[in-house]
Amino acid sequence: MRAIVTVIGKDQVGIIARVCALLSQQGVNVLDISQTILQEYFTMIMLVDTKDAKVPFAELVKLLEEEGKTQGLAIHAQREDIFNAMHRI
């Protein structure tokens, strides 16, 4: 299963490294990534493959959200099929 991960917050050193490290530790592969800085705000969207994840998707979502809270970031993950359905016109 593929998922969309979004990260938003004040820019700081190591955001990409910390998020990618967490995903890697859980067996999640990053397929595509886009990030930018909007004034002092960091924004990133990632397409990830969770088929080999070591934890259920709901637990992965919680781990990402908890990591975001510790770093002062908003990190959200959503299954790609649900993301696509929500953004169809």
Side-chain angles (χ1 to χ4, degrees):
M1 178 186 74
R2 296 181 349 165
I4 305 296
V5 177
T6 58
V7 181
I8 300 171
K10 291 273 189 171
D11 189 30
Q12 55 188 284
V13 174
I15 294 173
I16 297 171
R18 286 191 300 272
V19 174
C20 287
L22 186 151
L23 292 170
S24 175
Q25 290 167 358
Q26 298 306 320
V28 176
N29 187 35
V30 176
L31 301 173
D32 201 358
I33 183 171
S34 176
Q35 64 88 32
T36 191
I37 307 297
L38 300 171
Q39 295 183 11
E40 71 270 15
Y41 294 98
F42 175 88
T43 63
M44 177 170 65
I45 186 166
M46 308 169 83
L47 177 62
V48 300
D49 184 350
T50 63
K51 75 174 184 227
D52 295 326
K54 298 176 182 175
V55 296
F57 186 70
E59 188 173 335
L60 179 64
V61 169
K62 283 180 133 181
L63 288 170
L64 288 165
E65 288 175 352
E66 289 169 5
E67 177 65 20
K69 286 179 186 174
T70 65
Q71 302 302 323
L73 304 166
I75 304 178
H76 300 285
Q78 189 172 44
R79 291 174 40 161
E80 182 186 34
D81 55 348
I82 293 173
F83 181 87
N84 286 335
M86 288 177 51
H87 294 88
R88 247 184 225 129
I89 296 177

